[in-house]
Amino acid sequence: MQDEPDTDDVDALQRKLATAREEVGERIVGQRDVLEGLFVCILADGNALLESNPGLGKTTMVRTLAEVTDLAFSRIQNTPDLMPSDITGTEIIRETDDGREFVFEKGPVFANVVLADEINRATPKTQAALLEAMQERQVTAGGDTYELPDPFFVLATQNPIDQGGTYALPEAQTDRFMLKLLVDYPGADEERDIVDLYTSRSQQVPVERVLTRAEIREAQELVREVPIAEDLRDRAIDLVRRTREAEEVEFGASPRASMALVVASKARAFLRGRNHVAEEDIEALAAPVLRHRIILDFRAERDGQTPDDVVADLLE
């Protein structure tokens, strides 16, 4: 029988998570739902796809998150001429006392938090290299396999308005993103705070490291143990199954979406200091889990419907 986690340790970890969110908020104004989604992905050991117009602070947000959680950070700026080896690494010839030898030089994917900026600008071949890293947590090069750091997350961004020179992500890859988070424009008061914060100093606001990698791994294990009532579990599964039957949907979500919705709900409950999954967790995460996993038919798109509209109807 598995030992019950110490309540004091769990409470201390949840308090640290709350402090980490506040620390990120020292540099990022607003975007509370997006930040919560990123923390949910980290606790649930998943990847996230962030979509927004340029200039809304996605890169700063992800970099700050890595700083606060003591995770190694790397940024990949995707372009059409980017090669898979530019991401994964390549073998180089190195001079030694015994002569020349091939040595694998690790690429930027060997980090805990990998920001794949404008991922839809990478060619399908390069996207496939990222897909192996996201799914298998490893890189294959020169016939050898190299394990990626633990924990490992890909947080990718894409721009929805500039489609020139882009390659749509294949469904197999979008399905590997646990959540798709939409970063919206700030409100008037928030934008005023952003301007004041970043025009009154020459350097970024400093943030403190709150969580260690060991604590993140511990939190990930505890998240899996968060209980969910059978009726809530079945509601999450039923919601995903009904995407396959909805008239507006041409292709529904796979069982991977059911698993993602349940574990993400557990992570949100843990992040909010609860020891059980509530209905609000499932409702809050339904759209981020499903919006990139369902494909609407042409009639729904013609009528101006969005995946979020369909998910809202299914929730009702």
Side-chain angles (χ1 to χ4, degrees):
M1 183 177 178
Q2 189 174 6
D3 293 335
E4 291 289 331
D6 188 277
T7 305
D8 293 338
D9 292 343
V10 173
D11 291 343
L13 203 50
Q14 289 175 326
R15 286 195 298 270
K16 278 196 169 187
L17 283 166
T19 304
R21 292 178 65 183
E22 293 172 1
E23 197 67 23
V24 175
E26 292 292 320
R27 189 179 289 173
I28 304 298
V29 178
Q31 306 295 356
R32 298 185 66 86
D33 291 342
V34 177
L35 284 173
E36 181 175 73
L38 291 177
F39 272 100
V40 164
C41 278
I42 286 180
L43 292 176
D45 198 16
N47 307 297
L49 179 63
L50 291 85
E51 183 173 283
S52 80
N53 297 334
L56 295 183
K58 298 184 295 296
T59 301
T60 302
M61 192 183 304
V62 175
R63 186 187 296 274
T64 304
L65 183 65
E67 289 182 30
V68 169
T69 53
D70 192 28
L71 297 175
F73 171 82
S74 70
R75 179 175 180 266
I76 301 170
Q77 181 61 54
N78 288 278
T79 57
D81 61 347
L82 193 73
M83 299 296 292
S85 59
D86 296 329
I87 293 176
T88 61
T90 186
E91 287 189 331
I92 61 173
I93 298 177
R94 181 170 295 171
E95 296 284 351
T96 66
D97 295 338
D98 300 326
R100 296 180 177 180
E101 63 178 7
F102 283 99
V103 178
F104 180 71
E105 189 76 19
K106 294 180 178 179
V109 77
F110 285 86
N112 299 116
V113 177
V114 177
L115 174 62
D117 227 344
E118 295 189 290
I119 189 173
N120 54 334
R121 292 197 178 279
T123 61
K125 189 173 184 180
T126 303
Q127 290 177 9
L130 265 179
L131 180 59
E132 181 190 8
M134 291 167 58
Q135 182 63 23
E136 307 297 336
R137 306 295 174 93
Q138 65 182 30
V139 164
T140 302
D144 294 322
T145 299
Y146 303 90
E147 297 293 328
L148 290 170
D150 181 33
F152 174 79
F153 314 98
V154 172
L155 305 179
T157 71
Q158 62 179 10
N159 179 350
I161 60 174
D162 183 9
Q163 298 300 315
T166 62
Y167 302 85
L169 295 181
E171 284 70 23
Q173 183 152 6
T174 56
D175 200 28
R176 262 66 176 188
F177 287 103
M178 175 172 283
L179 303 181
K180 180 180 179 181
L181 304 172
L182 305 181
V183 185
D184 203 357
Y185 286 109
D189 292 338
E190 292 175 341
E191 189 158 356
R192 191 178 300 112
D193 292 340
I194 292 171
V195 171
D196 290 343
L197 181 65
Y198 285 94
T199 60
S200 61
R201 56 174 63 225
S202 58
Q203 297 178 343
Q204 279 193 331
V205 177
V207 293
E208 294 183 2
R209 293 178 179 175
V210 178
L211 287 164
T212 65
R213 300 178 196 181
E215 288 172 331
I216 290 174
R217 286 192 289 268
E218 181 184 357
Q220 289 174 340
E221 294 175 0
L222 291 172
V223 160
R224 301 285 172 162
E225 299 176 14
V226 173
I228 179 172
E230 290 186 1
D231 61 326
L232 290 181
R233 179 206 61 196
D234 292 344
R235 188 187 181 203
I237 295 171
D238 183 60
L239 176 64
V240 173
R241 291 181 63 84
R242 282 189 286 124
T243 64
R244 306 166 201 164
E245 303 166 358
E247 292 182 0
E248 307 92 336
V249 178
E250 186 172 1
F251 297 102
S254 71
R256 186 179 280 117
S258 300
M259 294 185 287
L261 184 52
V262 169
V263 72
S265 297
K266 290 184 175 188
R268 185 177 186 270
F270 188 87
L271 186 63
R272 293 196 164 211
R274 283 186 272 109
N275 61 358
H276 65 280
V277 175
E279 191 171 12
E280 66 175 84
D281 298 317
I282 295 174
E283 292 179 352
L285 290 165
V289 168
L290 293 172
R291 61 168 56 112
H292 57 299
R293 288 184 162 100
I294 60 177
I295 300 176
L296 303 187
D297 67 8
F298 75 95
R299 288 168 296 185
E301 291 183 344
R302 179 194 61 195
D303 295 339
Q305 284 190 287
T306 66
D308 284 19
D309 296 330
V310 174
V311 173
D313 291 342
L314 293 175
L315 280 172
E316 294 176 358

